[in-house]
Amino acid sequence: MYQRKLPKEYYCTVDYALDIFGGKWKPRLLCILGHKKSMRYGEIKDQMENISDAALADSLKELQQQDIIERKQYNEMPIRVEYSLTNKGKTLLPVLNTISNWAIKNSTPDMYKGMHFNDVHKDLFK
Amino acid sequence: MYQRKLPKEYYCTVDYALDIFGGKWKPRLLCILGHKKSMRYGEIKDQMENISDAALADSLKELQQQDIIERKQYNEMPIRVEYSLTNKGKTLLPVLNTISNWAIKNSTPDMYKGMHFNDVHKDLFK
DNA sequence: CGGCATCCAAAGCGATACTG
DNA sequence: CAGTATCGCTTTGGATGCCG
């Protein structure tokens, strides 16, 4: 299994923050989770469109370890797993919103794939 | 020369923003530049402490291409080059400040190397 | 259904040497 | 002084297959 190692020391506060919610998958993952109370693994994977199981599982695990998201397993048949933001994770939403608003001001809809720009991120976390 | 390719399409506004100011070096670089009117190449390199010329030159070039920083060359002897934030680049400072404030609330000074946490980023861009 | 393990390819980056 | 060129290592991540 691939697992990213978090460095233990940083030079900059922004580096620390982006180590938690930056990278290839986590920003989008958090934006998607930020719109729902909770989501199942497969539901997240569908909305991420092009992510592999390995990358999704690793991202989810890292975010759990940082206390940003919570995992709840229901041992039904078939098994059901729900992910949701923790209280700490919710404090990221205004931060993501600030970043998103800057991006919207400095980009155009045609730079985006799928429905994410207009239907989701324009009103992110209001 | 190594040069990162910017993808042309994004799934998420946050991805777009982090493509501009995220990554290993650019957050710290922008934080450092954000405190001065302009800085010389060598001055930036000293404050970045552990960056290689290749990585620094590439980061500076990318940020120029995105109109975040500006390069001015003075053909003195020896040559002098000054970098500074553009107007667009300055609009990033409140965004970086928001991220930094979240990080400060969720980390401790001992997680940081050097003087950056206490002496610089605590009062970032005030 | 919700993952994890393995293999492999590509990207990112550092060290070194060199240049106008 | 302010970079650029090249090499090779390390990290990242996609594809595939398997499992409880």
Side-chain angles (χ1 to χ4, degrees), chain A residues 72-82:
Chain A
K72 278 187 189 158
Q73 179 169 335
Y74 302 90
N75 289 320
E76 307 165 352
M77 188 64 72
I79 194 173
R80 182 164 61 96
V81 174
E82 298 267 1

Side-chain angles (χ1 to χ4, degrees), chain B:
Chain B
M1 154 206 179
Y2 162 75
Q3 177 108 30
R4 193 174 58 116
K5 294 172 205 161
L6 294 179
K8 296 209 163 78
E9 294 193 304
Y10 304 89
Y11 287 93
C12 167
T13 51
V14 180
D15 287 339
Y16 169 78
L18 294 185
D19 204 31
I20 291 183
F21 69 83
K24 183 165 186 177
W25 302 110
K26 288 186 282 182
R28 189 149 50 110
L29 179 48
L30 290 169
C31 288
I32 288 170
L33 254 184
H35 286 85
K36 303 258 194 177
K37 285 211 185 304
S38 77
M39 290 177 79
R40 301 182 60 163
Y41 179 89
E43 198 180 351
I44 296 172
K45 192 181 175 187
D46 287 344
Q47 289 215 22
M48 295 291 285
E49 295 182 24
N50 57 346
I51 198 173
S52 69
D53 280 319
L56 178 54
D58 287 342
S59 299
L60 289 169
K61 194 168 295 182
E62 276 183 42
L63 289 168
Q64 285 172 72
Q65 288 167 357
Q66 300 282 356
D67 190 32
I68 303 298
I69 65 174
E70 187 180 8
R71 190 192 116 112
K72 277 186 189 159
Q73 179 170 334
Y74 302 90
N75 290 318
E76 307 167 352
M77 186 66 71
I79 196 173
R80 181 164 61 96
V81 175
E82 298 266 1
Y83 290 94
S84 58
L85 292 177
T86 62
N87 285 332
K88 181 178 176 185
K90 287 175 189 165
T91 67
L92 271 178
L93 297 181
V95 180
L96 293 170
N97 200 21
T98 298
I99 299 171
S100 180
N101 284 333
W102 184 90
I104 289 170
K105 287 203 187 78
N106 292 279
S107 61
T108 51
D110 61 282
M111 303 169 80
Y112 296 90
K113 283 185 176 176
M115 54 159 237
H116 293 285
F117 185 87
N118 287 317
D119 295 350
V120 179
H121 292 99
K122 208 156 185 176
D123 300 306
L124 196 64
F125 314 126
K126 277 193 180 157

